Amino acid sequence: MSSQAPVLVPVAHGSESLETITVVNLLRRAELAVTMASIEATMLIDGTRGIRFMADARLAELPAAPWSMLVLPGGAAGADALGRHPPLVAMLTARRDAGLPIAAICAAPARVLAANGLLEGRRATGYPSFRAELPIPVDAAVVRDGPFTTSQGPGTAIAFALDLIEQLCGRSRRDDVAAGLLVTP
Protein backbone atom coordinates (compact mmCIF):
# COMPACT_ATOMS: atom_id res chain seq x y z
CA MET A 1 0.00 0.00 0.00
CA SER A 2 0.95 3.60 -0.54
CA SER A 3 2.51 5.77 2.15
CA GLN A 4 -0.11 8.36 1.13
CA ALA A 5 -2.70 9.15 3.83
CA PRO A 6 -5.87 7.11 3.37
CA VAL A 7 -8.87 8.18 1.33
CA LEU A 8 -12.30 8.31 2.99
CA VAL A 9 -15.42 7.32 1.02
CA PRO A 10 -18.55 7.86 3.15
CA VAL A 11 -21.56 5.77 2.08
CA ALA A 12 -25.25 5.52 2.95
CA HIS A 13 -28.23 3.45 1.90
CA GLY A 14 -28.99 4.61 -1.63
CA SER A 15 -25.39 5.41 -2.57
CA GLU A 16 -24.90 4.82 -6.30
CA SER A 17 -23.34 1.35 -6.42
CA LEU A 18 -21.50 1.76 -9.72
CA GLU A 19 -19.87 5.04 -8.67
CA THR A 20 -18.98 3.82 -5.19
CA ILE A 21 -17.40 0.56 -6.29
CA THR A 22 -15.67 2.09 -9.33
CA VAL A 23 -14.00 4.80 -7.24
CA VAL A 24 -12.95 2.43 -4.45
CA ASN A 25 -11.74 -0.21 -6.95
CA LEU A 26 -9.62 2.22 -8.99
CA LEU A 27 -8.12 3.97 -5.97
CA ARG A 28 -7.14 0.59 -4.55
CA ARG A 29 -5.65 -0.41 -7.93
CA ALA A 30 -3.47 2.69 -7.50
CA GLU A 31 -2.38 1.14 -4.17
CA LEU A 32 -4.10 3.82 -2.11
CA ALA A 33 -5.56 2.89 1.27
CA VAL A 34 -9.30 3.52 1.03
CA THR A 35 -11.81 3.36 3.87
CA MET A 36 -15.43 3.03 2.84
CA ALA A 37 -17.29 4.33 5.91
CA SER A 38 -21.01 3.84 6.56
CA ILE A 39 -23.04 6.64 8.13
CA GLU A 40 -25.74 4.05 8.81
CA ALA A 41 -26.21 1.87 11.90
CA THR A 42 -24.99 -1.07 9.84
CA MET A 43 -21.97 -1.62 7.64
CA LEU A 44 -24.04 -3.51 5.05
CA ILE A 45 -25.19 -0.84 2.60
CA ASP A 46 -28.19 -1.13 0.30
CA GLY A 47 -26.83 0.63 -2.78
CA THR A 48 -28.71 1.43 -5.94
CA ARG A 49 -30.12 -1.18 -8.33
CA GLY A 50 -30.51 -3.75 -5.54
CA ILE A 51 -26.74 -4.04 -5.10
CA ARG A 52 -25.54 -4.45 -1.52
CA PHE A 53 -21.97 -3.84 -0.43
CA MET A 54 -20.07 -3.90 2.82
CA ALA A 55 -18.41 -0.80 4.24
CA ASP A 56 -15.05 -1.13 5.94
CA ALA A 57 -16.10 0.77 9.07
CA ARG A 58 -18.79 3.01 10.53
CA LEU A 59 -17.96 6.71 10.20
CA ALA A 60 -18.92 7.33 13.84
CA GLU A 61 -16.35 4.78 15.02
CA LEU A 62 -13.40 6.06 12.99
CA PRO A 63 -10.69 8.01 14.77
CA ALA A 64 -9.82 11.40 13.35
CA ALA A 65 -7.41 10.67 10.52
CA PRO A 66 -5.35 12.80 8.19
CA TRP A 67 -7.45 11.78 5.16
CA SER A 68 -5.69 12.70 1.94
CA MET A 69 -9.07 13.08 0.22
CA LEU A 70 -12.75 12.64 0.99
CA VAL A 71 -14.83 11.23 -1.90
CA LEU A 72 -18.64 11.39 -1.97
CA PRO A 73 -20.54 8.96 -4.22
CA GLY A 74 -23.85 9.97 -5.75
CA GLY A 75 -27.22 8.34 -5.90
CA ALA A 76 -29.99 10.76 -4.92
CA ALA A 77 -31.11 8.94 -1.75
CA GLY A 78 -27.55 8.26 -0.62
CA ALA A 79 -26.38 11.81 -1.33
CA ASP A 80 -29.40 13.24 0.51
CA ALA A 81 -28.55 11.08 3.54
CA LEU A 82 -24.88 12.11 3.44
CA GLY A 83 -25.86 15.78 3.15
CA ARG A 84 -28.08 15.51 6.25
CA HIS A 85 -25.45 13.76 8.41
CA PRO A 86 -24.13 16.46 10.81
CA PRO A 87 -20.77 14.79 11.63
CA LEU A 88 -19.99 14.39 7.92
CA VAL A 89 -21.08 17.95 7.11
CA ALA A 90 -18.84 19.23 9.92
CA MET A 91 -15.92 17.21 8.51
CA LEU A 92 -16.56 18.58 5.01
CA THR A 93 -16.81 22.15 6.28
CA ALA A 94 -13.50 21.82 8.14
CA ARG A 95 -11.83 20.37 5.03
CA ARG A 96 -13.22 23.15 2.83
CA ASP A 97 -12.01 25.78 5.32
CA ALA A 98 -8.54 24.20 5.36
CA GLY A 99 -8.42 23.86 1.55
CA LEU A 100 -8.18 20.07 1.72
CA PRO A 101 -9.36 17.90 -1.21
CA ILE A 102 -13.01 16.94 -1.48
CA ALA A 103 -14.44 15.03 -4.44
CA ALA A 104 -18.09 14.37 -5.30
CA ILE A 105 -19.95 12.74 -8.18
CA CYS A 106 -23.51 12.65 -9.55
CA ALA A 107 -26.03 13.98 -7.00
CA ALA A 108 -23.40 14.56 -4.29
CA PRO A 109 -22.05 17.91 -5.58
CA ALA A 110 -25.57 19.38 -5.34
CA ARG A 111 -27.16 17.42 -2.51
CA VAL A 112 -24.16 17.30 -0.17
CA LEU A 113 -21.81 20.15 -1.05
CA ALA A 114 -24.08 22.86 -2.50
CA ALA A 115 -26.94 22.02 -0.12
CA ASN A 116 -24.61 22.81 2.78
CA GLY A 117 -23.18 26.00 1.26
CA LEU A 118 -19.76 24.46 0.61
CA LEU A 119 -19.50 25.28 -3.11
CA GLU A 120 -20.19 29.03 -3.01
CA GLY A 121 -18.33 30.75 -5.85
CA ARG A 122 -17.05 27.42 -7.20
CA ARG A 123 -17.52 25.82 -10.60
CA ALA A 124 -18.86 22.27 -10.37
CA THR A 125 -20.61 19.58 -12.35
CA GLY A 126 -23.00 16.81 -11.44
CA TYR A 127 -25.77 14.68 -12.81
CA PRO A 128 -27.75 16.84 -15.29
CA SER A 129 -30.99 16.81 -13.29
CA PHE A 130 -29.13 18.22 -10.24
CA ARG A 131 -26.88 20.71 -12.05
CA ALA A 132 -29.27 23.66 -11.54
CA GLU A 133 -28.66 23.31 -7.77
CA LEU A 134 -24.96 24.14 -8.22
CA PRO A 135 -23.71 27.73 -7.76
CA ILE A 136 -21.73 27.75 -11.05
CA PRO A 137 -22.80 24.69 -13.06
CA VAL A 138 -20.47 23.33 -15.74
CA ASP A 139 -21.28 20.67 -18.33
CA ALA A 140 -18.07 18.59 -18.25
CA ALA A 141 -17.13 15.06 -17.23
CA VAL A 142 -14.81 16.20 -14.43
CA VAL A 143 -14.38 19.71 -13.01
CA ARG A 144 -11.68 20.86 -10.59
CA ASP A 145 -12.07 24.16 -8.73
CA GLY A 146 -9.90 24.82 -5.69
CA PRO A 147 -10.06 21.85 -3.32
CA PHE A 148 -13.15 20.45 -5.09
CA THR A 149 -13.29 17.84 -7.83
CA THR A 150 -16.76 17.01 -9.18
CA SER A 151 -18.06 14.66 -11.84
CA GLN A 152 -21.31 13.91 -13.64
CA GLY A 153 -22.35 10.34 -12.86
CA PRO A 154 -22.00 6.62 -13.53
CA GLY A 155 -20.68 7.07 -17.07
CA THR A 156 -17.89 9.38 -15.87
CA ALA A 157 -16.90 7.35 -12.80
CA ILE A 158 -13.73 5.93 -14.38
CA ALA A 159 -12.57 9.35 -15.60
CA PHE A 160 -13.37 10.77 -12.16
CA ALA A 161 -11.43 8.07 -10.31
CA LEU A 162 -8.45 8.40 -12.67
CA ASP A 163 -8.42 12.16 -12.07
CA LEU A 164 -8.36 11.55 -8.31
CA ILE A 165 -5.47 9.09 -8.74
CA GLU A 166 -3.55 11.70 -10.72
CA GLN A 167 -4.09 14.27 -7.96
CA LEU A 168 -3.00 11.87 -5.22
CA CYS A 169 -0.27 9.84 -6.93
CA GLY A 170 0.79 11.66 -10.10
CA ARG A 171 0.27 11.21 -13.82
CA SER A 172 2.42 8.09 -14.12
CA ARG A 173 0.34 6.10 -11.59
CA ARG A 174 -2.85 7.35 -13.23
CA ASP A 175 -1.61 6.17 -16.62
CA ASP A 176 -0.57 2.76 -15.21
CA VAL A 177 -4.05 2.20 -13.73
CA ALA A 178 -5.72 3.40 -16.95
CA ALA A 179 -3.59 1.01 -19.04
CA GLY A 180 -4.54 -1.90 -16.79
CA LEU A 181 -8.20 -1.04 -17.41
CA LEU A 182 -7.64 -0.72 -21.16
CA VAL A 183 -8.58 2.97 -20.94
CA THR A 184 -6.66 5.12 -23.39
CA PRO A 185 -5.20 8.38 -22.03
Side-chain angles (χ1 to χ4, degrees), residues 72-159:
L72 302 164
D80 284 343
L82 294 174
R84 291 188 311 264
H85 189 69
L88 177 59
V89 173
M91 183 184 298
L92 290 164
T93 301
R95 290 186 70 80
R96 187 260 337 251
D97 293 348
L100 298 173
I102 298 170
I105 187 169
C106 191
R111 296 294 172 89
V112 181
L113 301 178
N116 287 290
L118 299 172
L119 284 177
E120 292 307 313
R122 300 288 184 175
R123 296 168 43 254
T125 194
Y127 198 79
S129 60
F130 298 106
R131 231 179 269 144
E133 299 173 34
L134 300 172
I136 306 172
V138 177
D139 182 9
V142 178
V143 174
R144 287 191 207 174
D145 190 345
F148 297 101
T149 303
T150 55
S151 189
Q152 292 176 322
T156 63
I158 289 176

Side-chain angles (χ1 to χ4, degrees), residues 1-180:
M1 279 293 165
S2 169
S3 61
Q4 177 86 27
V7 176
L8 179 64
V9 180
V11 291
H13 295 312
S15 287
E16 170 53 56
S17 51
L18 191 149
E19 295 162 0
T20 303
I21 300 307
T22 298
V23 166
V24 171
N25 183 301
L26 269 65
L27 295 178
R28 288 181 178 167
R29 285 174 187 254
E31 299 182 356
L32 289 162
V34 179
T35 299
M36 201 172 13
S38 171
I39 67 163
E40 306 292 350
T42 177
M43 291 193 351
L44 183 61
I45 299 298
D46 292 318
T48 57
R49 312 299 180 275
I51 297 171
R52 302 176 100 193
F53 52 90
M54 186 69 71
D56 302 306
R58 290 192 61 248
L59 185 65
E61 297 167 358
L62 287 175
W67 306 106
S68 58
M69 183 176 282
L70 197 150
V71 185
L72 302 164
D80 284 343
L82 294 174
R84 291 188 311 264
H85 189 69
L88 177 59
V89 173
M91 183 184 298
L92 290 164
T93 301
R95 290 186 70 80
R96 187 260 337 251
D97 293 348
L100 298 173
I102 298 170
I105 187 169
C106 191
R111 296 294 172 89
V112 181
L113 301 178
N116 287 290
L118 299 172
L119 284 177
E120 292 307 313
R122 300 288 184 175
R123 296 168 43 254
T125 194
Y127 198 79
S129 60
F130 298 106
R131 231 179 269 144
E133 299 173 34
L134 300 172
I136 306 172
V138 177
D139 182 9
V142 178
V143 174
R144 287 191 207 174
D145 190 345
F148 297 101
T149 303
T150 55
S151 189
Q152 292 176 322
T156 63
I158 289 176
F160 176 61
L162 290 172
D163 188 270
L164 303 181
I165 292 167
E166 183 172 343
Q167 290 179 55
L168 294 167
C169 304
R171 181 69 188 208
S172 176
R173 179 79 58 84
R174 178 231 179 266
D175 290 348
D176 288 347
V177 172

